[in-house]
Amino acid sequence: MTAASAVEAVFRIESARIIAGVARIVRDVGIAEELAQDALVAALEQWPESGVPDNPGAWLMATAKHRAIDLVRRRETYARKLAEMGRDLDGVSGEPDPGAADPDRIDDDLLRLIFTACHPVLSTDARIALTLRLLGGLTTEEIARAFLTTEPAVAQRIVRAKRALGRAGVPFEVPYGPERAARLGSVLEVIYLVFNEGYAATVGDDWLRPGLCEDALRLARLLAGLMPREPEAHGLAALLELQASRTAARTGPDGAPVLLADQNRARWDRLLIRRGFAALLRASETAAETGQALGPYALQSAIAACHARAARYEDTDWAAIVALYGRLAALTPSPVVELNRAVAVSMAEGPAAGLVLVDALAADPALKGYHLLPSVRGDLLERMGRTDEARAEFVRAAELTRNERERALLLGRAGR
């Protein structure tokens, strides 16, 4: 491996930690990213001559922090900044923090960076782009390719996000107390949306984008490790582990989607399933210890666990899934949740029972243009032998979806 390739590999792995460590000093994620890039340039200039350091990640971190300290010193007098941020600047321990023993306080630069990148002051698209850039280590080109958009659009989105954080005076910190619950929801949502876009792409020619799933899964594991007392952090990790376990079975040799009922479960990743079960157990135990009820991500992971436990599709405990969807609907009312519950009801009680629930959702404005509504209705009608009606619903669903693989699947079902 050349020095240049070593620099790029190490920076890809360490960039989030470097940016997080520098942001703690300069209190600005945009400047922190620039200083991290400066350290990268310094490594590209020096390592080919001096050789790759024994601890390249530490070298990059130290270089970036030294530049951050120099910047702070130039902006304000060293004495004032040292008094204000002493331990942050020089890494020298000062007086003991009286709240350090409080388990509700988390002193971690990466966690600060996650909460900053996912701040609710930003739009959802901006939070996703900034998170993938700062924490996922993805380039602008990679983000644009993953979401089938242009590099300039992504670059502009990231620049605007950084400016918005600066204008809003968003502090580089982890929220505590009541604010944490609200802010944590924003962080979990970003990771969940990134995974979903990889798991079932909304647009384009590919049904799966595994890279996005891997990025989201890594972030979910990181968050669960940084916030061990948050049940929903473990719940999200469990959900993504269990969903990701099916990846190899979700497409055929030609890349065409394979529905859950038709998947070869021998191809499901047993390691990811075990990890998912373990994370779900931690979510349940943590919820019990902290006196909390299971949240929406933990409930969804419990549903995914029901599928993972079934050796065959026919062995699925649909009654348990119906009950879990009932709890989820009570916790977070949503027509999409009700649609999924209708599918479970159709499997537990028959397609006619499910169709009654689906038809009750037909007029919901939130599902207007949602291709899965006619898709589910078509499936139920097909199971009831009403093939002409089913064919029309599959055609309608195909017209609504923006994913070419899914459109082909739906048209194939209509033709069948």
Side-chain angles (χ1 to χ4, degrees):
M1 179 182 289
T2 65
S5 59
V7 172
E8 293 176 4
V10 172
F11 189 77
R12 184 65 175 257
I13 296 169
E14 298 290 341
S15 61
R17 294 185 183 276
I18 296 169
I19 294 169
V22 173
R24 175 160 52 88
I25 298 173
V26 298
R27 303 286 169 175
D28 185 302
V29 294
I31 294 174
E33 186 183 13
E34 292 174 8
L35 292 171
Q37 291 289 340
D38 286 347
L40 172 64
V41 172
L44 288 171
E45 292 173 347
Q46 297 178 34
W47 291 8
E49 295 184 5
S50 63
V52 178
D54 292 337
N55 191 335
W59 189 99
L60 289 169
M61 178 70 84
T63 301
K65 282 191 172 183
H66 286 152
R67 294 182 183 227
I69 293 170
D70 289 341
L71 177 64
V72 170
R73 286 171 174 168
R74 288 197 301 269
R75 285 182 169 180
E76 301 185 32
T77 65
Y78 176 62
R80 176 185 170 192
K81 187 49 77 172
L82 186 60
E84 178 184 323
M85 302 174 61
R87 184 169 63 88
D88 285 348
L89 287 175
D90 290 342
V92 178
S93 298
E95 293 299 318
D97 181 357
D102 182 354
D104 197 41
R105 293 193 60 187
I106 302 173
D107 185 19
D108 189 282
D109 292 339
L110 272 176
L111 198 56
R112 291 187 182 102
L113 185 60
I114 291 173
F115 273 91
T116 302
C118 297
H119 197 282
V121 74
L122 304 176
S123 69
T124 300
D125 287 345
R127 278 182 274 154
I128 289 173
L130 195 59
T131 298
L132 289 175
R133 176 63 176 269
L134 298 182
L135 287 146
L138 274 66
T139 64
T140 303
E141 178 187 1
E142 289 170 329
I143 298 171
R145 188 166 60 245
F147 285 91
L148 302 184
T149 186
T150 65
E151 283 188 63
V154 171
Q156 189 176 51
R157 194 175 296 165
I158 292 172
V159 168
R160 286 176 176 173
K162 293 174 183 176
R163 288 175 180 168
L165 291 173
R167 285 195 304 269
V170 173
F172 187 68
E173 63 183 18
V174 177
Y176 299 104
E179 185 187 359
R180 178 183 292 181
R183 292 276 300 280
L184 179 60
S186 176
V187 174
L188 296 171
E189 179 191 32
V190 166
I191 298 174
Y192 182 64
L193 289 174
V194 171
F195 182 87
N196 270 0
E197 186 58 34
Y199 192 71
T202 53
V203 296
D205 299 327
D206 296 318
W207 173 240
L208 288 173
R209 295 180 192 151
L212 283 179
C213 291
E214 291 167 6
D215 286 324
L217 188 52
R218 182 169 56 82
L219 289 173
R221 290 169 179 166
L222 173 66
L223 187 64
L226 294 174
M227 306 190 76
R229 289 169 54 82
E230 292 290 348
E232 275 293 76
H234 295 299
L236 178 63
L239 175 61
L240 302 197
E241 299 277 10
L242 292 169
Q243 296 285 66
S245 71
R246 307 176 199 164
T247 299
R250 293 189 69 240
T251 54
D254 60 350
V258 178
L259 298 177
L260 181 62
D262 302 321
Q263 289 174 19
N264 177 3
R265 300 194 173 205
R267 301 190 66 199
W268 287 7
D269 191 316
R270 308 313 299 181
L271 174 60
L272 291 180
I273 290 174
R274 289 195 296 272
R275 291 181 66 114
F277 287 162
L280 178 55
L281 178 60
R282 284 194 295 273
S284 300
E285 291 175 343
T286 307
E289 291 169 2
T290 56
Q292 302 178 56
L294 289 181
Y297 293 110
L299 289 173
Q300 290 180 74
S301 68
I303 292 169
C306 288
H307 291 295
R309 291 189 187 99
R312 302 176 306 157
Y313 185 74
E314 297 78 12
D315 299 331
T316 307
D317 188 348
W318 291 106
I321 292 176
V322 170
L324 287 166
Y325 269 123
R327 291 173 61 185
L328 184 60
L331 186 63
T332 55
S334 159
V336 174
V337 173
E338 290 295 345
L339 183 62
N340 287 326
R341 189 172 75 87
V343 173
V345 168
S346 77
M347 298 304 300
E349 304 174 17
L355 186 61
V356 171
L357 299 177
V358 171
D359 286 345
L361 297 169
D364 194 310
L367 295 180
K368 183 179 180 181
Y370 186 56
H371 71 283
L372 290 181
L373 179 62
S375 174
V376 168
R377 195 168 189 277
D379 181 73
L380 298 178
L381 290 168
E382 180 183 17
R383 288 164 55 192
M384 295 171 67
R386 294 160 60 176
T387 53
D388 289 341
E389 295 172 83
R391 184 180 304 111
E393 292 293 339
F394 286 134
V395 170
R396 179 167 167 254
E399 292 170 349
L400 292 174
T401 185
R402 293 186 295 157
N403 184 281
E404 294 303 321
R405 291 288 189 179
E406 193 168 23
R407 179 177 290 113
L409 172 69
L410 291 165
L411 290 176
R413 297 194 70 182
R416 185 179 66 189

